[in-house]
Amino acid sequence: MNKCHEMDHTNSVPKDQKNYSIDSCLKLFAKPEILDKDNLWYCNQCKDHKQATKKMDIYSVPKILIIHLKRFKTSRVHSIGSYYFSGGSQKITSLVDFPIEGLDLTEHVLKKDDESYIYDLFAITNHFGSLSGGHYTAYAKNSLKNGWYDYNDSSVS
């Protein structure tokens, strides 16, 4: 996804922690974005790099949907030949609210057919720490027992 929402950071702790909805993130994902001078588009017709606008859309969706939120932001991307690297990265710690049941993507999908665009959450991963290191955990739903489990290394509770 594109950046969901920017944050102000002081010592890696947000000054004004905000919550955002997954719907607002999806709308931002589909919003046209003007590419800056460091990210020009190459035009095959005029054989020159031009400032352009890019637009991302969700054309169709799979039966099982995985959403990956961008949780890090960079202030600038540099390149040496074909090697790209970023400088000034920060972790985005804003919370994103999403429904456990009934996430309706109907308004976000371009190709409409007879399928349902409603999704229920059954797993999530979490990152604790900073850009230089951290720890991942996961929550997953056991549909047989209708309960959620916390997966943390070799511990499951």
Side-chain angles (χ1 to χ4, degrees):
M1 282 193 152
N2 287 351
K3 57 191 169 195
C4 187
H5 286 278
E6 300 294 327
M7 299 186 57
D8 248 344
H9 288 268
T10 305
N11 297 327
S12 298
V13 177
K15 285 183 180 178
D16 184 21
Q17 177 99 14
K18 295 182 180 178
N19 290 11
Y20 300 99
S21 70
I22 191 69
D23 190 61
S24 68
C25 291
L26 290 167
K27 286 178 181 171
L28 185 60
F29 171 75
K31 183 178 176 184
E33 176 183 355
I34 297 173
L35 301 176
D36 61 24
K37 63 181 174 124
D38 295 325
N39 196 14
L40 298 176
W41 171 74
Y42 181 74
C43 175
N44 287 329
Q45 291 183 356
C46 69
K47 309 292 185 207
D48 196 12
H49 288 88
K50 302 284 185 180
Q51 190 170 22
T53 301
K54 77 171 186 178
K55 172 100 168 65
M56 303 290 285
D57 286 309
I58 300 172
Y59 181 72
S60 64
V61 290
K63 183 176 179 179
I64 297 175
L65 178 69
I66 297 172
I67 297 176
H68 177 261
L69 299 175
K70 178 181 172 185
R71 302 307 288 172
F72 301 98
K73 73 174 183 174
T74 58
S75 57
R76 188 164 188 104
V77 175
H78 307 281
S79 68
I80 299 174
S82 61
Y83 175 72
Y84 291 88
F85 61 96
S86 60
S89 297
Q90 294 177 323
K91 182 175 179 180
I92 299 170
T93 59
S94 297
L95 300 177
V96 178
D97 293 323
F98 49 87
I100 293 176
E101 294 178 340
L103 173 62
D104 188 353
L105 296 182
T106 304
E107 76 172 272
H108 301 287
V109 177
L110 293 179
K111 180 186 171 198
K112 304 279 195 295
D113 50 30
D114 293 336
E115 295 186 33
S116 172
Y117 304 105
I118 311 269
Y119 290 87
D120 294 338
L121 182 71
F122 65 87
I124 188 165
T125 57
N126 304 294
H127 178 265
F128 299 97
S130 66
L131 278 90
S132 58
H135 182 69
Y136 285 93
T137 65
Y139 294 107
K141 184 176 183 179
N142 181 329
S143 59
L144 298 175
K145 295 184 178 183
N146 199 27
W148 286 86
Y149 290 84
D150 180 8
Y151 294 84
N152 188 349
D153 292 336
S154 61
S155 169
V156 177
S157 56

